[in-house]
Amino acid sequence: MDEKPSYELSQEELVYISQYLNGELGAIEQAAFEQRLHTDPTWQQKVSEVKTLRVGIREANLVDQLNKWHEEVRSTNGGEAKARWLHRRWWVAASMAAAVLLGVWWGVFSEQSDEQLYQAYFVQDTGLPVAMSGTDTSHYMFYDGMIDYKEGNYTDALAKWAPLAQAGEMTDTLRYFSGMAYMGLEKTELAIEQLFPVASNRLSAYYEEAVWYLALCYLRQGNRETAVALLKRIDGNEHAAELLKKLE
């Protein structure tokens, strides 16, 4: 059971923290806010809670948009399309489908460069749902970094995850999302270093995703041969099969 926080977050504090996160404070107010953030552990927890709340609101909005899109698809197909539960790993597929509807798809080109193909198929993993409850330090550090990851602050996320790696707590989950953060920063070589061990472990829960993104990394580097070999491991994935046809 989740433990109730040992502090109360007032409406005034919620507004104040939101103004800080939105960059709406003046220079003096921001300096005072950040000074308190560095010296007050309870204040740090409150700021993390508001960040989590903001991420949740944004995710709820994305779910609502996807649900509306699914309704449009069903109405277009005369009600024949079947609704499916969206597991986290299929958010990538949903994002690609949305891109097709918006016309952002490179398939109109008969011959595409490696970079064009990479840009066409790369969709950043949205991350894991954030759960900040509990007293376990490692658990807290990981999800605190996940908040930054989900907000696109990949450098901050990696900085918060670094102590976990140094302490020997490098799980497949941490490796995978570290690799994704490096991809978000366009540091392909570092992304490969993180994704490779996960993509080499068929028992990993992130095996298929890691293979897919590792293939994209090698493709971006111009190494089509390795990219093709990796995609063949997951050719049951429709996007992998589609990309294979374009590469072979």
Side-chain angles (χ1 to χ4, degrees):
M1 178 178 291
D2 294 343
E3 297 180 4
K4 183 178 179 180
S6 59
Y7 57 82
E8 295 292 336
L9 180 65
S10 69
Q11 183 175 353
E12 291 75 15
E13 288 176 325
L14 176 60
V15 172
Y16 183 34
I17 294 172
S18 295
Q19 288 176 329
Y20 170 74
L21 295 174
N22 291 333
E24 297 172 355
L25 296 181
I28 296 177
E29 288 180 302
Q30 180 172 332
F33 186 101
E34 292 178 345
Q35 176 63 28
R36 184 178 178 183
L37 188 61
H38 285 109
T39 58
D40 186 344
T42 300
W43 190 241
Q44 294 171 9
Q45 289 182 303
K46 290 183 178 183
V47 173
S48 291
E49 183 177 337
V50 175
K51 283 184 176 181
T52 303
L53 177 63
R54 286 157 60 93
V55 169
I57 291 172
R58 183 158 55 248
E59 285 188 340
N61 183 56
L62 177 57
V63 170
D64 182 60
Q65 291 180 35
L66 284 172
N67 286 338
K68 289 179 180 178
W69 173 73
H70 285 149
E71 288 299 324
E72 292 176 2
V73 171
R74 281 195 286 269
S75 62
T76 301
N77 292 337
E80 293 179 3
K82 296 181 180 179
R84 297 183 180 180
W85 180 259
L86 285 180
H87 291 285
R88 184 200 60 76
R89 66 167 57 192
W90 298 118
W91 278 73
V92 173
S95 300
M96 288 183 175
V100 173
L101 291 179
L102 294 172
V104 188
W105 192 255
W106 291 89
V108 294
F109 297 99
S110 58
E111 187 65 32
Q112 298 168 274
S113 69
D114 295 335
E115 181 63 23
Q116 285 176 326
L117 286 169
Y118 174 85
Q119 294 296 340
Y121 282 89
F122 175 67
V123 180
Q124 183 69 285
D125 192 307
T126 56
L128 295 174
V130 177
M132 296 294 289
S133 61
T135 57
D136 182 78
T137 302
S138 298
H139 181 276
Y140 178 86
M141 291 175 66
F142 175 76
Y143 282 105
D144 191 28
M146 183 55 67
I147 292 175
D148 288 308
Y149 173 91
K150 291 164 80 70
E151 292 185 336
N153 301 323
Y154 303 122
T155 299
D156 292 341
L158 288 164
K160 290 177 179 178
W161 291 337
L164 296 177
Q166 293 168 1
E169 299 182 31
M170 202 62 175
T171 63
D172 279 357
T173 302
L174 184 54
R175 283 190 185 280
Y176 172 73
F177 283 107
S178 294
M180 294 310 304
Y182 281 124
M183 289 187 78
L185 293 171
E186 299 194 347
K187 296 183 177 182
T188 307
E189 194 61 44
L190 291 175
I192 290 175
E193 289 180 13
Q194 296 299 324
L195 293 172
F196 189 86
V198 186
S200 300
N201 179 13
R202 292 182 178 273
L203 298 179
S204 172
Y206 292 91
Y207 173 75
E208 185 171 319
E209 292 95 330
V211 171
W212 167 253
Y213 285 111
L214 186 61
L216 290 181
C217 285
Y218 281 116
L219 177 62
R220 194 173 204 189
Q221 289 187 332
N223 189 343
R224 288 198 174 199
E225 183 178 353
T226 301
V228 167
L230 286 165
L231 291 172
K232 285 182 177 179
R233 293 192 203 170
I234 54 170
D235 57 3
N237 178 297
E238 62 177 306
H239 299 298
E242 184 178 277
L243 182 53
L244 266 173
K245 289 181 181 178
K246 296 184 178 182
L247 294 176
E248 291 183 317

PDB file of all heavy atoms in Angstrom, residues 95-97 99-109 112 120-121 123 239 242 246:
ATOM      1  N   SER A  95       2.030   5.962 -32.245  1.00  0.00           N
ATOM      2  CA  SER A  95       2.599   7.239 -32.683  1.00  0.00           C
ATOM      3  C   SER A  95       2.881   7.225 -34.172  1.00  0.00           C
ATOM      4  O   SER A  95       2.664   8.205 -34.878  1.00  0.00           O
ATOM      5  CB  SER A  95       3.889   7.526 -31.908  1.00  0.00           C
ATOM      6  OG  SER A  95       3.621   7.597 -30.532  1.00  0.00           O
ATOM      7  N   MET A  96       3.389   6.082 -34.680  1.00  0.00           N
ATOM      8  CA  MET A  96       3.663   5.976 -36.108  1.00  0.00           C
ATOM      9  C   MET A  96       2.371   6.076 -36.920  1.00  0.00           C
ATOM     10  O   MET A  96       2.321   6.727 -37.971  1.00  0.00           O
ATOM     11  CB  MET A  96       4.363   4.652 -36.412  1.00  0.00           C
ATOM     12  CG  MET A  96       5.806   4.600 -35.945  1.00  0.00           C
ATOM     13  SD  MET A  96       6.607   3.048 -36.403  1.00  0.00           S
ATOM     14  CE  MET A  96       8.280   3.389 -35.854  1.00  0.00           C
ATOM     15  N   ALA A  97       1.328   5.433 -36.426  1.00  0.00           N
ATOM     16  CA  ALA A  97       0.054   5.477 -37.131  1.00  0.00           C
ATOM     17  C   ALA A  97      -0.476   6.900 -37.187  1.00  0.00           C
ATOM     18  O   ALA A  97      -1.008   7.349 -38.203  1.00  0.00           O
ATOM     19  CB  ALA A  97      -0.957   4.565 -36.439  1.00  0.00           C
ATOM     20  N   ALA A  99       1.329   9.531 -37.168  1.00  0.00           N
ATOM     21  CA  ALA A  99       2.168  10.262 -38.112  1.00  0.00           C
ATOM     22  C   ALA A  99       1.693  10.058 -39.541  1.00  0.00           C
ATOM     23  O   ALA A  99       1.730  10.961 -40.366  1.00  0.00           O
ATOM     24  CB  ALA A  99       3.632   9.812 -37.982  1.00  0.00           C
ATOM     25  N   VAL A 100       1.228   8.845 -39.845  1.00  0.00           N
ATOM     26  CA  VAL A 100       0.711   8.559 -41.182  1.00  0.00           C
ATOM     27  C   VAL A 100      -0.497   9.438 -41.481  1.00  0.00           C
ATOM     28  O   VAL A 100      -0.614  10.022 -42.550  1.00  0.00           O
ATOM     29  CB  VAL A 100       0.306   7.074 -41.312  1.00  0.00           C
ATOM     30  CG1 VAL A 100      -0.390   6.827 -42.633  1.00  0.00           C
ATOM     31  CG2 VAL A 100       1.540   6.189 -41.205  1.00  0.00           C
ATOM     32  N   LEU A 101      -1.400   9.557 -40.501  1.00  0.00           N
ATOM     33  CA  LEU A 101      -2.596  10.372 -40.700  1.00  0.00           C
ATOM     34  C   LEU A 101      -2.246  11.830 -40.930  1.00  0.00           C
ATOM     35  O   LEU A 101      -2.931  12.549 -41.656  1.00  0.00           O
ATOM     36  CB  LEU A 101      -3.520  10.257 -39.485  1.00  0.00           C
ATOM     37  CG  LEU A 101      -4.187   8.898 -39.279  1.00  0.00           C
ATOM     38  CD1 LEU A 101      -5.052   8.935 -38.032  1.00  0.00           C
ATOM     39  CD2 LEU A 101      -5.041   8.545 -40.491  1.00  0.00           C
ATOM     40  N   LEU A 102      -1.159  12.296 -40.283  1.00  0.00           N
ATOM     41  CA  LEU A 102      -0.752  13.682 -40.432  1.00  0.00           C
ATOM     42  C   LEU A 102       0.079  13.918 -41.685  1.00  0.00           C
ATOM     43  O   LEU A 102       0.442  15.043 -42.000  1.00  0.00           O
ATOM     44  CB  LEU A 102       0.077  14.108 -39.203  1.00  0.00           C
ATOM     45  CG  LEU A 102      -0.714  14.143 -37.897  1.00  0.00           C
ATOM     46  CD1 LEU A 102       0.239  14.369 -36.732  1.00  0.00           C
ATOM     47  CD2 LEU A 102      -1.743  15.262 -37.942  1.00  0.00           C
ATOM     48  N   GLY A 103       0.403  12.864 -42.374  1.00  0.00           N
ATOM     49  CA  GLY A 103       1.185  12.992 -43.604  1.00  0.00           C
ATOM     50  C   GLY A 103       2.677  13.062 -43.374  1.00  0.00           C
ATOM     51  O   GLY A 103       3.438  13.327 -44.301  1.00  0.00           O
ATOM     52  N   VAL A 104       3.118  12.830 -42.129  1.00  0.00           N
ATOM     53  CA  VAL A 104       4.544  12.907 -41.835  1.00  0.00           C
ATOM     54  C   VAL A 104       5.146  11.522 -42.016  1.00  0.00           C
ATOM     55  O   VAL A 104       5.442  10.830 -41.058  1.00  0.00           O
ATOM     56  CB  VAL A 104       4.775  13.419 -40.401  1.00  0.00           C
ATOM     57  CG1 VAL A 104       6.249  13.685 -40.149  1.00  0.00           C
ATOM     58  CG2 VAL A 104       3.972  14.675 -40.163  1.00  0.00           C
ATOM     59  N   TRP A 105       5.281  11.117 -43.190  1.00  0.00           N
ATOM     60  CA  TRP A 105       5.806   9.773 -43.479  1.00  0.00           C
ATOM     61  C   TRP A 105       6.660   9.848 -44.731  1.00  0.00           C
ATOM     62  O   TRP A 105       6.262  10.396 -45.739  1.00  0.00           O
ATOM     63  CB  TRP A 105       4.639   8.799 -43.687  1.00  0.00           C
ATOM     64  CG  TRP A 105       5.093   7.371 -43.704  1.00  0.00           C
ATOM     65  CD1 TRP A 105       5.217   6.562 -44.775  1.00  0.00           C
ATOM     66  CD2 TRP A 105       5.481   6.590 -42.580  1.00  0.00           C
ATOM     67  NE1 TRP A 105       5.663   5.328 -44.384  1.00  0.00           N
ATOM     68  CE2 TRP A 105       5.831   5.313 -43.048  1.00  0.00           C
ATOM     69  CE3 TRP A 105       5.576   6.858 -41.210  1.00  0.00           C
ATOM     70  CZ2 TRP A 105       6.260   4.304 -42.207  1.00  0.00           C
ATOM     71  CZ3 TRP A 105       6.005   5.843 -40.373  1.00  0.00           C
ATOM     72  CH2 TRP A 105       6.332   4.585 -40.889  1.00  0.00           C
ATOM     73  N   TRP A 106       7.863   9.275 -44.654  1.00  0.00           N
ATOM     74  CA  TRP A 106       8.822   9.407 -45.744  1.00  0.00           C
ATOM     75  C   TRP A 106       8.608   8.372 -46.848  1.00  0.00           C
ATOM     76  O   TRP A 106       9.364   8.328 -47.820  1.00  0.00           O
ATOM     77  CB  TRP A 106      10.242   9.227 -45.190  1.00  0.00           C
ATOM     78  CG  TRP A 106      10.666  10.342 -44.313  1.00  0.00           C
ATOM     79  CD1 TRP A 106      10.483  10.457 -42.977  1.00  0.00           C
ATOM     80  CD2 TRP A 106      11.352  11.528 -44.714  1.00  0.00           C
ATOM     81  NE1 TRP A 106      11.000  11.621 -42.511  1.00  0.00           N
ATOM     82  CE2 TRP A 106      11.549  12.304 -43.547  1.00  0.00           C
ATOM     83  CE3 TRP A 106      11.826  12.015 -45.938  1.00  0.00           C
ATOM     84  CZ2 TRP A 106      12.192  13.538 -43.563  1.00  0.00           C
ATOM     85  CZ3 TRP A 106      12.473  13.248 -45.959  1.00  0.00           C
ATOM     86  CH2 TRP A 106      12.641  13.993 -44.792  1.00  0.00           C
ATOM     87  N   GLY A 107       7.620   7.567 -46.749  1.00  0.00           N
ATOM     88  CA  GLY A 107       7.439   6.486 -47.707  1.00  0.00           C
ATOM     89  C   GLY A 107       7.187   6.923 -49.124  1.00  0.00           C
ATOM     90  O   GLY A 107       7.200   6.115 -50.048  1.00  0.00           O
ATOM     91  N   VAL A 108       6.935   8.226 -49.326  1.00  0.00           N
ATOM     92  CA  VAL A 108       6.679   8.709 -50.685  1.00  0.00           C
ATOM     93  C   VAL A 108       7.949   8.710 -51.523  1.00  0.00           C
ATOM     94  O   VAL A 108       7.899   8.845 -52.750  1.00  0.00           O
ATOM     95  CB  VAL A 108       6.083  10.134 -50.640  1.00  0.00           C
ATOM     96  CG1 VAL A 108       4.714  10.115 -50.002  1.00  0.00           C
ATOM     97  CG2 VAL A 108       7.002  11.085 -49.879  1.00  0.00           C
ATOM     98  N   PHE A 109       9.083   8.603 -50.852  1.00  0.00           N
ATOM     99  CA  PHE A 109      10.338   8.593 -51.595  1.00  0.00           C
ATOM    100  C   PHE A 109      10.690   7.179 -52.048  1.00  0.00           C
ATOM    101  O   PHE A 109      10.609   6.243 -51.271  1.00  0.00           O
ATOM    102  CB  PHE A 109      11.485   9.137 -50.732  1.00  0.00           C
ATOM    103  CG  PHE A 109      11.293  10.577 -50.334  1.00  0.00           C
ATOM    104  CD1 PHE A 109      10.794  10.896 -49.079  1.00  0.00           C
ATOM    105  CD2 PHE A 109      11.592  11.597 -51.214  1.00  0.00           C
ATOM    106  CE1 PHE A 109      10.612  12.212 -48.711  1.00  0.00           C
ATOM    107  CE2 PHE A 109      11.423  12.913 -50.845  1.00  0.00           C
ATOM    108  CZ  PHE A 109      10.936  13.223 -49.599  1.00  0.00           C
ATOM    109  N   GLN A 112      15.596   6.356 -50.274  1.00  0.00           N
ATOM    110  CA  GLN A 112      15.805   7.178 -49.099  1.00  0.00           C
ATOM    111  C   GLN A 112      17.181   6.940 -48.500  1.00  0.00           C
ATOM    112  O   GLN A 112      17.692   5.832 -48.511  1.00  0.00           O
ATOM    113  CB  GLN A 112      14.727   6.861 -48.047  1.00  0.00           C
ATOM    114  CG  GLN A 112      13.327   7.170 -48.501  1.00  0.00           C
ATOM    115  CD  GLN A 112      12.309   6.575 -47.551  1.00  0.00           C
ATOM    116  OE1 GLN A 112      11.943   5.425 -47.684  1.00  0.00           O
ATOM    117  NE2 GLN A 112      11.854   7.359 -46.593  1.00  0.00           N
ATOM    118  N   ALA A 120      12.270   8.817 -40.273  1.00  0.00           N
ATOM    119  CA  ALA A 120      10.917   8.350 -40.575  1.00  0.00           C
ATOM    120  C   ALA A 120      10.424   7.339 -39.549  1.00  0.00           C
ATOM    121  O   ALA A 120       9.241   7.321 -39.207  1.00  0.00           O
ATOM    122  CB  ALA A 120      10.888   7.717 -41.969  1.00  0.00           C
ATOM    123  N   TYR A 121      11.328   6.512 -39.040  1.00  0.00           N
ATOM    124  CA  TYR A 121      10.910   5.414 -38.171  1.00  0.00           C
ATOM    125  C   TYR A 121      11.179   5.654 -36.691  1.00  0.00           C
ATOM    126  O   TYR A 121      10.621   4.950 -35.845  1.00  0.00           O
ATOM    127  CB  TYR A 121      11.596   4.110 -38.599  1.00  0.00           C
ATOM    128  CG  TYR A 121      10.965   3.488 -39.813  1.00  0.00           C
ATOM    129  CD1 TYR A 121      11.394   3.818 -41.099  1.00  0.00           C
ATOM    130  CD2 TYR A 121       9.905   2.584 -39.687  1.00  0.00           C
ATOM    131  CE1 TYR A 121      10.797   3.256 -42.224  1.00  0.00           C
ATOM    132  CE2 TYR A 121       9.306   2.020 -40.793  1.00  0.00           C
ATOM    133  CZ  TYR A 121       9.756   2.363 -42.064  1.00  0.00           C
ATOM    134  OH  TYR A 121       9.149   1.820 -43.167  1.00  0.00           O
ATOM    135  N   VAL A 123      10.650   6.981 -33.244  1.00  0.00           N
ATOM    136  CA  VAL A 123       9.676   7.626 -32.359  1.00  0.00           C
ATOM    137  C   VAL A 123      10.136   7.347 -30.933  1.00  0.00           C
ATOM    138  O   VAL A 123      10.281   6.186 -30.547  1.00  0.00           O
ATOM    139  CB  VAL A 123       8.249   7.075 -32.564  1.00  0.00           C
ATOM    140  CG1 VAL A 123       7.268   7.765 -31.615  1.00  0.00           C
ATOM    141  CG2 VAL A 123       7.802   7.254 -34.006  1.00  0.00           C
ATOM    142  N   HIS A 239       6.611  -3.021 -38.279  1.00  0.00           N
ATOM    143  CA  HIS A 239       7.471  -1.906 -38.664  1.00  0.00           C
ATOM    144  C   HIS A 239       8.872  -2.401 -39.036  1.00  0.00           C
ATOM    145  O   HIS A 239       9.496  -1.876 -39.956  1.00  0.00           O
ATOM    146  CB  HIS A 239       7.538  -0.886 -37.538  1.00  0.00           C
ATOM    147  CG  HIS A 239       6.206  -0.307 -37.196  1.00  0.00           C
ATOM    148  ND1 HIS A 239       5.465   0.427 -38.088  1.00  0.00           N
ATOM    149  CD2 HIS A 239       5.459  -0.391 -36.058  1.00  0.00           C
ATOM    150  CE1 HIS A 239       4.322   0.789 -37.519  1.00  0.00           C
ATOM    151  NE2 HIS A 239       4.295   0.305 -36.295  1.00  0.00           N
ATOM    152  N   GLU A 242       8.580  -3.901 -42.461  1.00  0.00           N
ATOM    153  CA  GLU A 242       8.444  -2.840 -43.468  1.00  0.00           C
ATOM    154  C   GLU A 242       9.789  -2.181 -43.755  1.00  0.00           C
ATOM    155  O   GLU A 242      10.142  -1.935 -44.914  1.00  0.00           O
ATOM    156  CB  GLU A 242       7.457  -1.795 -42.949  1.00  0.00           C
ATOM    157  CG  GLU A 242       7.149  -0.679 -43.932  1.00  0.00           C
ATOM    158  CD  GLU A 242       6.124   0.277 -43.361  1.00  0.00           C
ATOM    159  OE1 GLU A 242       4.917  -0.007 -43.451  1.00  0.00           O
ATOM    160  OE2 GLU A 242       6.532   1.316 -42.790  1.00  0.00           O
ATOM    161  N   LYS A 246      12.668  -2.068 -47.254  1.00  0.00           N
ATOM    162  CA  LYS A 246      13.288  -0.879 -47.827  1.00  0.00           C
ATOM    163  C   LYS A 246      14.812  -0.959 -47.816  1.00  0.00           C
ATOM    164  O   LYS A 246      15.484  -0.295 -48.604  1.00  0.00           O
ATOM    165  CB  LYS A 246      12.842   0.369 -47.063  1.00  0.00           C
ATOM    166  CG  LYS A 246      11.351   0.640 -47.191  1.00  0.00           C
ATOM    167  CD  LYS A 246      10.969   1.942 -46.506  1.00  0.00           C
ATOM    168  CE  LYS A 246       9.471   2.188 -46.695  1.00  0.00           C
ATOM    169  NZ  LYS A 246       9.051   3.490 -46.089  1.00  0.00           N
TER     170      LYS A 246
END
